[in-house]
Amino acid sequence: MPKYIATPNRTKEILAKYKFAFKKSLGQNFLVDANVLENIIGHAGIDKHSGTIEVGPGIGALTEQLAIHSDKVVAFEIDQRLLPILKDTLGEYSNITIVHQDILEADVHSVISKNFTPGQPIHIVANLPYYITTPILMKLLREDLPVESLTIMIQKEVAERMAAAPNSKSYGSLSIAVQYYTHADVVMNVPKSVFMPQPNVDSSILRLVKREHPPVQVEDEDYFFSIVQASFAQRRKTLRNNLTRHFEDIYDKGTVSEILEEINIDGTRRGESLNMEEFAQLANAFYQREQ
Ligand code: SAM
């Protein structure tokens, strides 16, 4: 029976051997629960033909399981202190490449073409550092990487916002941004107790399957996202009021109402009641008016 990294005892042993002190500023909460790891792997949609990309391997708990269950793992780690530890803990696996880089700075496209074979199905699997979950995820989605899915452990509330449907408390611009690129599902909630050290918040495993095409046609993606954000700027305000504020330098309230009427969207509704299709209509109407 191999002695996997993801147990409290083995993790303590490794941390003591290297006198490793956690950096809270890097979101270092390491997984020490084999069952949760098994669930992440089970949901990740990977097999021995898959390429996998991990963000933040830590001391290698998830990396080890990815090495066992996929063809090849590439893991980006920002903390130099973890490099000698990973060399030791993952030494027996020959299918792992550690890239010492901030994922936000990384050229992931070129890392993919260097490390995986053309056409190989690639999946991102990670227990993300909480302090930059959204920037990391939006980078990975907006760069149009050739990956099939992302299975990520993140803060529970953030996972709920990413997967939320219209008319729910969690629905907002983040839901639209994530669901524009993926089908999003929360597949499991995870208590704080599976991490060392324990964070202050609970977590969830979020499964994101990349869409082949966006679900709506927009004239300009940046413009679309800016209209979505403006519509949620003040959640209690009506759509018309949020948009009037957003366009205050170019349109008066009457013009905003007129554009809303043209596309048959009631300006007294709140942003949280609009689905993605309606946001696309809204953005395209304002975009065309500006051309
Ligand atoms: N995968 C490990 C596990 O599950 O036990 C560690 C996960 S821990 C929540 C997050 C990891 O991300 C840490 O190893 C941290 O050093 C690393 N990290 C933080 N910011 C990063 C960044 N910008 N780029 C790459 N890695 C980062």
Side-chain angles (χ1 to χ4, degrees):
M1 180 74 187
K3 206 174 161 202
Y4 291 143
I5 299 166
T7 65
N9 282 344
R10 178 85 201 282
T11 300
K12 276 186 207 149
E13 215 175 274
I14 296 166
L15 297 174
K17 178 171 171 191
Y18 289 92
K19 299 188 172 56
F20 184 82
F22 294 104
K23 270 197 190 159
K24 216 177 162 187
S25 63
L26 290 179
Q28 291 178 336
N29 303 97
F30 297 164
L31 249 176
V32 293
D33 186 297
N35 285 331
V36 171
L37 265 183
E38 207 175 290
N39 268 291
I40 297 177
I41 297 290
H43 282 107
I46 58 175
D47 61 27
K48 282 308 265 178
H49 302 290
S50 315
T52 47
I53 298 177
E54 186 186 6
V55 178
I59 59 170
L62 173 58
T63 328
E64 174 175 55
Q65 296 305 315
L66 292 173
I68 293 168
H69 291 93
S70 74
D71 172 46
K72 166 96 213 251
V73 192
V74 176
F76 292 89
E77 176 55 62
I78 197 172
D79 188 348
Q80 183 156 18
R81 300 173 306 154
L82 289 166
L83 303 185
I85 304 182
L86 287 164
K87 215 172 186 179
D88 175 8
T89 58
L90 300 173
E92 68 186 271
Y93 302 95
S94 57
N95 59 344
I96 300 174
T97 299
I98 304 291
V99 181
H100 175 219
Q101 206 173 16
D102 178 345
I103 185 68
L104 294 178
E105 306 282 320
D107 179 351
V108 185
H109 275 285
S110 81
V111 169
I112 287 178
S113 51
K114 238 185 254 161
N115 288 280
F116 300 112
T117 51
Q120 182 168 24
I122 301 171
H123 300 267
I124 295 176
V125 189
N127 169 21
L128 289 179
Y130 292 170
Y131 75 110
I132 44 166
T133 299
T134 303
I136 291 177
L137 187 60
M138 291 323 295
K139 172 196 164 89
L140 297 173
L141 294 180
R142 297 206 76 168
E143 286 188 350
D144 198 19
L145 302 170
V147 305
E148 293 189 359
S149 75
L150 302 90
T151 304
I152 52 176
M153 173 110 87
I154 59 176
Q155 186 179 335
K156 183 168 178 265
E157 285 71 24
V158 179
E160 283 166 357
R161 282 165 53 204
M162 290 180 175
N167 290 312
S168 64
K169 205 174 90 229
S170 305
Y171 185 64
S173 53
L174 190 58
S175 325
I176 299 283
V178 170
Q179 293 170 36
Y180 181 78
Y181 297 105
T182 68
H183 297 277
D185 283 299
V186 174
V187 293
M188 189 185 163
N189 294 326
V190 176
K192 313 172 176 60
S193 54
V194 304
F195 298 100
M196 191 183 289
Q198 287 192 22
N200 296 324
V201 293
D202 287 323
S203 301
S204 295
I205 301 171
L206 182 72
R207 169 102 178 125
L208 302 171
V209 177
K210 281 276 285 292
R211 295 180 187 272
E212 254 178 59
H213 305 287
V216 292
Q217 278 202 327
V218 297
E219 302 261 358
D220 181 295
E221 283 186 4
D222 289 337
Y223 194 89
F224 167 68
F225 290 125
S226 72
I227 291 289
V228 172
Q229 275 200 332
S231 305
F232 285 104
Q234 288 189 272
R235 286 188 80 91
R236 307 303 307 156
K237 282 199 170 178
T238 63
L239 194 58
R240 184 170 51 221
N241 283 347
N242 273 327
L243 291 173
T244 301
R245 162 63 77 84
H246 179 69
F247 286 111
E248 64 191 356
D249 293 337
I250 44 176
Y251 302 134
D252 58 17
K253 200 169 189 166
T255 312
V256 170
S257 301
E258 191 187 299
I259 299 172
L260 285 169
E261 272 164 33
E262 273 169 22
I263 54 170
N264 257 328
I265 291 184
D266 180 351
T268 64
R269 287 170 64 184
R270 297 214 174 97
E272 67 199 33
S273 77
L274 270 69
N275 61 28
M276 178 122 42
E277 181 63 46
E278 290 173 310
F279 276 120
Q281 252 185 302
L282 191 66
N284 289 342
F286 278 95
Y287 185 82
Q288 279 156 12
R289 178 69 75 112
E290 275 183 50
Q291 300 314 298

